[in-house]
Amino acid sequence: TDDNCGVESVENDAPDAFPVGENIVTWTVTDIHGNTATVTQMVTVTDDEKPTITTPEDVTASADEGLCEASIDLVEPEVSDNCTIGLLQNDAPGAFPVGVTTVTWTVTDVHGNTATSTQTVTVTDDEAPTITSPTTVFALADSGACSISDLVLDYPESFDNCEIDSIASDAPYIFP
């Protein structure tokens, strides 16, 4: 500031703390005779601080009865930000398949800054398969023998909530 007779005061209307965004500050200079002049100044505050996210605990669960997947309600992680949280989301499937699934949580603040965290969801298949015995077979021994060599057995009916790996029999090749 400068004045031909003398400056009395210099004041501005700046707040104690500037919010994020564009802020106009008006400066006013007053000379010793009460004459004033003003000028404006732009103060731009940006938020480049990422939000914080606390990784949620890993989850282990059994597959839902009769299914090869589990419906799991995940607990949201704790998040915070120096300004305001805009969005918290994850890439979790609607149902988790048997095995290990990695879920990525993403938190975004209102100014577009993001942070991520991952959580592991493990689903186990603890349901035993079912098997139903085929019907009893009555057969005549081979002619001149005391055994049957070409007997074809029906496979038993079986079910598993995931997938049948194998069906084995301890039946001999030749039935005595």
Side-chain angles (χ1 to χ4, degrees):
T1 61
D2 188 28
D3 188 72
N4 60 337
C5 291
V7 173
E8 170 98 8
S9 65
V10 178
E11 299 175 345
N12 66 54
D13 63 355
D16 291 335
F18 289 92
V20 172
E22 293 183 345
N23 300 275
I24 297 175
V25 175
T26 302
W27 289 88
T28 304
V29 61
T30 305
D31 70 12
I32 59 173
H33 299 288
N35 299 311
T36 62
T38 60
V39 67
T40 59
Q41 176 184 22
M42 176 70 69
V43 177
T44 303
V45 178
T46 58
D47 173 22
D48 59 1
E49 186 174 331
K50 292 182 177 188
T52 61
I53 184 168
T54 303
T55 301
E57 290 188 27
D58 292 340
V59 176
T60 300
S62 296
D64 296 342
E65 186 176 334
L67 299 175
C68 196
E69 61 189 23
S71 297
I72 299 172
D73 292 327
L74 296 176
V75 175
E76 291 185 352
E78 291 183 25
V79 296
S80 64
D81 189 62
N82 61 318
C83 290
T84 304
I85 298 296
L87 179 65
L88 175 63
Q89 60 189 20
N90 67 52
D91 62 356
F96 292 87
V98 168
V100 178
T101 302
T102 300
V103 175
T104 301
W105 289 89
T106 303
V107 59
T108 306
D109 70 14
V110 294
H111 300 113
N113 300 304
T114 62
T116 61
S117 179
T118 59
Q119 172 183 32
T120 301
V121 177
T122 303
V123 176
T124 58
D125 174 15
D126 301 325
E127 190 173 330
T130 61
I131 188 167
T132 305
S133 294
T135 58
T136 303
V137 176
F138 296 98
L140 297 173
D142 291 343
S143 178
C146 196
S147 63
I148 300 172
S149 59
D150 291 330
L151 182 63
V152 177
L153 296 175
D154 292 332
Y155 275 93
E157 290 185 26
S158 59
F159 171 79
D160 189 65
N161 59 315
C162 287
E163 186 177 308
I164 299 291
D165 184 40
S166 64
I167 299 175
S169 171
D170 63 355
Y173 178 68
I174 297 177
F175 291 89

